[in-house]
Amino acid sequence: MKNDHRKDNFLAKYFSNRLKAHYTDFSSWIQIIVFVIAYALIACIQIHTDNSGLSGIIAQPLIIMSIYLVIQIIKLGYIVSVAVNLTYAIFVTYHVVVHHEPQAIPGIILPISTIIIVSIISFYGRRLNDQITQVRMQREEIQNLYETVAEAKNELVVRNQQLLEYNQILEENESRMQHLSNFDLLTELPNRATILGRLDLLISIMADKKMSFSFIFIDIDNFGSINEDVGHRIGDMLLQAFSLRLGMLIHPEDMIGRLGSDEYALVIQHQMSEQELFSYIESIRTSLQEVFPIEGNEYSLTASFGVSIFPSDGVDAEELLKCANVAMLKAKENGKNCVQFFRRDMRLEIEQKIIYQKRLMNSIKNNELFLVYQPQFTPDKKRLRGLEALVRWNSAKFGVVSPVQFIPIAEEAGYIIPMGEWILRTACKKAVEIEEKYHNGIIISVNISSVQLMAPNFLAMVSSVLQETHCEGRLLEFEVTESVMISSLDIAVSLLKEIKTMGIRVALDDFGTGYSSFRYIQLLPIDTLKIDKSFIDSIEYQDTQSLLVAAIITLVHQLNLEVVAEGVDSEKKVIFLTKASCDYLQGHLWGMPAGDEDTDMRLAAIFSPRDEET
Ligand code: C2E
Ligand code: MG
Ligand code: MG
């Protein structure tokens, strides 16, 4: 096969060289000239030879030479050969015709036969050449095809390699997806679905063995407001640190997981008595209270724990989770940062609370909120300083609800933010309305929850409400409690300073119920101090605390602050506070908190409207 290939190549090269020869080869021209001269000489000899036998022999080289020339120089050789033989034939024919030499007729046949022979050789030579060229082209095509196939094969190998890599990446992604669907991204703990799955498994094992285990629902206290205060980045780091600590505190047989935002699950499998179980959870709770150092700062967290036990509280995963959740909510209600075991009677209570919360969250939308206003007078009751705006919720289901009940729930759920904005807007409108009517600079005091104050856009919200209602800052006072200092004193101070730059006064509410430290009072940029009702009540009994009230008033005056006494509901208190030089009194004795219309009537009775004055 290889030899054939070589032979074909050789022939192809030979014929193509011969074909081209007359154009390129100098030696071809020499050969042609030699041929023509030799032919002419031999032809002359042949013509002049009388011996016909010798003449036939001499004619042979002419044929051989012609064939040789055609083979050597196919195209040009053929033309020359035909031309020479034709000339010879014409010449001999001329002789035969002109000199009447019929014996020379065979001399005509010789060149004619030579022409025929060289024509045949040339024809077949060309055909052979064409075929060889065709074969060569086909071979080249096959060669190209082979190269293309080889390239394609290489490409395929590369593609295959790539496919293998993609496959590997896909497999890695798949296992990552698997991990993501089973584990929590932030804490790397098993997620809710995984926890529920493992609970199902554990339930079937424990049911067979007739053994029990407990499920603990853990919820970080006030995480919503902590997140707002410290920012979501630190909030996330806190959750990670909390998860890590929780993982280190548990028994190797137990399992933890993250149910969602600040909710964790703890499955306690190792067997112990109820008392031991309580101590175990308590030890976890107290250890979680220790500070978390993050980026040079220290943060503390507390959590509420709800416990449900298999099989007494529930026989499936969902049921156990629900019971533990209910117990956790009860722990929150009991003041947070404690452990609560599930009891049957809790469910109804909690369910009602959930309904209560849902309705509260719709109170603005349903137009169920309204403000009442309680006056603050000088002790001689001659001058009205202002009105404290107090919110009420007139629920279609629960009737008029006290803020003492619903404000903490609104704070926990973050609903205090829109609710506080609604309260401020309503109070501003009232302040503008009163000012336009009486021009007496009556102050409306608005209670601001710490959660609301610490919300990121609080200051922007206040300035936009002031603009929208055309309310001047001087007509407002914000009442804040000492709890604002809990998260960060620095932030609270700078926020209160900003509030004061808007012309709004700041009062410290409920003094006597919190830290009640004068060191803090000196640090806070406040204008007024409100002594809490619980302190004022002591006046009734004339005990040591009542002496303290008088001392506080003196001290507060030394700090150049105004004092407002809350819960003044008896003449005795008025006399005492007048003697103690209290600046303003607020209480049921001189005015219960009143709705819009009653407040208008109250104000009309105190002031004659400006129109009437003029
Ligand atoms: P607070 O700001 O210290 O309001 C004074 C509370 O004492 C009011 O109760 C008022 O009705 C009550 N009070 C006034 N004088 C007397 C009295 O002589 N005797 C008795 N027994 N009580 C008196 P209220 O309106 O139930 O508000 C309770 C608390 O709810 C408020 O305490 C405040 O902390 C919160 N709150 C009320 N309204 C709002 C509000 O609009 N926003 C926020 N964030 N909290 C509010
Ligand atoms: Mg108040
Ligand atoms: Mg108060």
Side-chain angles (χ1 to χ4, degrees), residues 585-597:
L585 311 184
Q586 176 184 346
H588 287 177
L589 187 69
W590 288 349
M592 297 281 285
D596 251 340
E597 282 178 23

Side-chain angles (χ1 to χ4, degrees), residues 30 62 246 438 442 445 595:
I30 303 281
L62 293 178
L246 190 58
Y438 301 110
I442 295 292
S445 301

Side-chain angles (χ1 to χ4, degrees), residues 388 479 509-510 530 532 566:
E388 179 175 5
E479 293 189 8
D509 202 359
D510 300 345
K530 293 187 80 176
D532 191 66
E566 287 184 316

Side-chain angles (χ1 to χ4, degrees), residues 354-369 393-396 398 406 409-410 413 415 418-419 422:
I354 290 166
I355 295 170
Y356 187 88
Q357 271 182 9
K358 268 192 188 159
R359 289 197 164 244
L360 180 64
M361 305 304 146
N362 287 317
S363 57
I364 301 176
K365 198 178 80 187
N366 295 342
N367 251 332
E368 291 176 344
L369 294 180
W393 174 30
N394 185 16
S395 161
F398 307 106
F406 68 81
I409 295 167
Y415 192 64
M419 184 185 267
W422 181 91

